[in-house]
Each structure stands twice: as C-alpha cells, then as structure tokens.
Amino acid sequence: MKYTILVLFSIILFNCKNVKQDISVEKQIEKQTAQSVIDTSIEVAGVNKLNNSTIEFDFRDKHYLATRNNGSYNLERQFIDQTVMYFDTITNIRDVVNNKGFQRFVNDFPMAVQDSIAVKYAASLNSVHYFSVLPFGLNDKAVNKVLLEDVSVKNNMYRTVKVTFSQDGGGEDFEDEFIYWINQETKKVDYLAYSYNEDDGKGIRFREAYNERYVEGVRFVDYNNYKPEDASIALTDLPQLFESDNLNLLSKIELENIKVKLN
C-alpha cells in the first residue's frame, strides 16, 4: 500500500513539473514583443555590425556604396547615363544621400536638381540600400513596431511584426507600412510586405527571400518581388495569396559583387 501511494505521488509530482514547464514556455512566448523579435533577428542576420561599416554591391546596371559611422551615413548610387553626353564624354552619374540631404554629381561636378525630382531620386536610392541590409534600420527612433498574430507559411511558423513610421524622422515616405514575417526557428526574415503611396493610388508588394549568403558575417538575400491583383487587400492577407499562387511575380531583386568592410 505504501509503495502504491509513493508511485502515485511520484506520477503526480512528475506531471505537475511538466505542467509548470509548459506554463513557463507559454509565458516566455507571451513575453515576446515586437522589439525582442526584431532584436533577435538583427543579431542573427549580423546587421548589428553595420553601424561602422562600408558596403558595396551591384544592382542591375548600377553600383551602390554605403558608408556608416556611428549615426553618420553616406549612401551612393553610381551609373553611366548613355542618353546624355557632356563635351563629347561619357556621363558618369553619382547620386548621394547623407545626413545633409541629396546631391547629384555629373562627372564629379555637383549638379542642381529640381526639388521635386531630387525627392524621387533620393527615395529610389534610399530604398535599394534599405532593403539590402534588412532588418538593419528597424530600431531607428522613427520606427514603430507592433507584434501581430503568428502565421503559418509553407509549413513554417512565423512571428508577424508590423512596422510604421513617425512623421518626425520618418522621411518623405513615413506613411508607408511594412510587415515582416520572422521564422520562429531560424529567427530570420523570410517574407515581407509593404504598402506605399503612388501618384494614382496605393501600391502593394510582397517579397520572398532566397539565395541567402553571409559576407563578413552579415546576411544578404535576394527577393522575388510580387504584386496582388487587388491593391486594396490587407498586407496580412498576402501570405495566404502567396501560398495559393495568387500573386503576380513582377521582378527579381538580385544583388551582385557584394563587399563588406567592418570598421
């Protein structure tokens, strides 16, 4: 009889311990915030090293250069404009965005650009650099993060983080909205979506990361760039449309000749 009671007590004690462990795991999951999810993703991607760095890469027919130094930054895009000739010489264009603003150089000479055009040049230049090093930049002061419901995409579970921007410090496109899907196991951004304002309305994109590689410990990926038929659809519905092959593949975002120097 005593042995039976002892066995029953051991079983109850073991079950209680397992329940406590399960509750502890659940509490840890509940405690996760958008901030902690992004912090972990930044560390896993190695982009926390980029505060003092120089990065170069080629995208399509242009060369990009990014120099960062403790809050100071200089983002460049260099290319040859075949449509314009100055004094019968090849026209080399260098666009620069830094803490002071935007400047275009033509054959190394500063060129005045109309404000409305400069805004578009700066936005397109900044966009390429922004996507090239994600999730770097998601801890900037103007970034607002919210943790949404977990979702399943292609049999993997993902944390869902919505990102918006404050008007103060959020740049010209502060009204844009982003959603990042971070793999629960790898802690990496596998998918992202964003909405932005166009002259004729709203634009929506969904990106699928592929061709992952690490250069000097920093993660880089290429993207399949998709578009839904209906631009009014919620960003949170895009993974379901992606799984059911109801998104249109617009382009591929492929970075080449990547070089990283950590200062």
Side-chain angles (χ1 to χ4, degrees):
M1 183 68 177
K2 290 182 179 179
Y3 176 77
T4 302
I5 293 173
L6 182 61
V7 170
L8 288 173
F9 178 76
S10 298
I11 292 173
I12 293 171
L13 185 63
F14 177 78
N15 288 335
C16 287
K17 184 177 181 182
N18 284 343
V19 169
K20 286 182 179 179
Q21 288 177 343
D22 291 341
I23 293 174
S24 177
V25 170
E26 288 178 359
K27 284 184 176 180
Q28 287 178 5
I29 293 174
E30 289 176 358
K31 285 181 179 178
Q32 278 202 314
T33 63
Q35 184 63 59
S36 65
V37 171
I38 291 299
D39 285 345
T40 303
S41 182
I42 285 174
E43 185 175 352
V44 169
V47 294
N48 53 319
K49 306 171 184 177
L50 298 182
N51 288 318
N52 294 281
S53 65
T54 301
I55 298 175
E56 294 184 63
F57 59 88
D58 295 323
F59 175 52
R60 295 172 181 164
D61 60 344
K62 298 176 177 64
H63 183 71
Y64 289 80
L65 172 66
T67 303
R68 298 178 176 90
N69 185 13
N70 290 325
S72 296
Y73 63 91
N74 196 81
L75 310 178
E76 298 188 14
R77 171 178 59 197
Q78 304 168 16
F79 61 98
I80 295 174
D81 189 344
Q82 303 282 7
T83 65
V84 179
M85 297 286 287
Y86 282 93
F87 305 107
D88 296 325
T89 61
I90 294 175
T91 304
N92 291 293
I93 306 294
R94 182 165 64 95
D95 291 333
V96 178
V97 171
N98 54 33
N99 301 78
K100 296 179 181 179
F102 173 82
Q103 178 66 64
R104 166 162 285 199
F105 296 86
V106 177
N107 293 339
D108 292 327
F109 290 97
M111 176 67 66
V113 179
Q114 188 177 349
D115 288 347
S116 59
I117 302 300
V119 168
K120 293 181 179 180
Y121 286 164
S124 64
L125 166 58
N126 189 65
S127 176
V128 174
H129 281 287
Y130 177 85
F131 285 110
S132 71
V133 289
L134 282 172
F136 181 81
L138 295 187
N139 274 338
D140 288 353
K141 292 181 180 180
V143 175
N144 308 304
K145 297 180 282 286
V146 178
L147 191 63
L148 304 181
E149 291 184 4
D150 294 352
V151 299
S152 174
V153 184
K154 291 191 173 181
N155 299 318
N156 292 312
M157 290 302 299
Y158 287 87
R159 300 278 182 235
T160 307
V161 177
K162 179 181 178 180
V163 167
T164 58
F165 302 90
S166 301
Q167 184 171 359
D168 183 15
E172 294 289 336
D173 301 319
F174 70 91
E175 294 180 329
D176 294 354
E177 292 187 2
F178 286 75
I179 291 185
Y180 297 90
W181 287 276
I182 294 96
N183 190 299
Q184 289 189 12
E185 290 189 7
T186 66
K187 316 302 182 186
K188 298 173 182 179
V189 178
D190 287 345
Y191 306 97
L192 65 95
Y194 59 98
S195 63
Y196 59 96
N197 292 323
E198 295 182 308
D199 294 337
D200 56 351
K202 184 179 179 182
I204 288 181
R205 296 291 184 270
F206 179 87
R207 290 192 178 189
E208 173 195 20
Y210 71 97
N211 190 26
E212 176 190 85
R213 62 274 200 204
Y214 279 78
V215 180
E216 297 295 331
V218 179
R219 179 179 185 252
F220 292 89
V221 296
D222 297 329
Y223 293 103
N224 286 320
N225 189 32
Y226 295 91
K227 176 184 178 181
E229 292 286 351
D230 183 3
S232 66
I233 194 167
L235 294 180
T236 50
D237 291 336
L238 292 174
Q240 183 178 357
L241 292 178
F242 170 70
E243 282 197 297
S244 59
D245 293 325
N246 284 316
L247 294 176
N248 298 321
L249 179 62
L250 288 181
S251 62
K252 289 181 175 289
I253 312 299
E254 298 178 334
L255 307 184
E256 299 178 317
N257 306 316
I258 300 170
K259 297 179 182 178
V260 177
K261 181 181 179 182
L262 302 176
N263 302 327

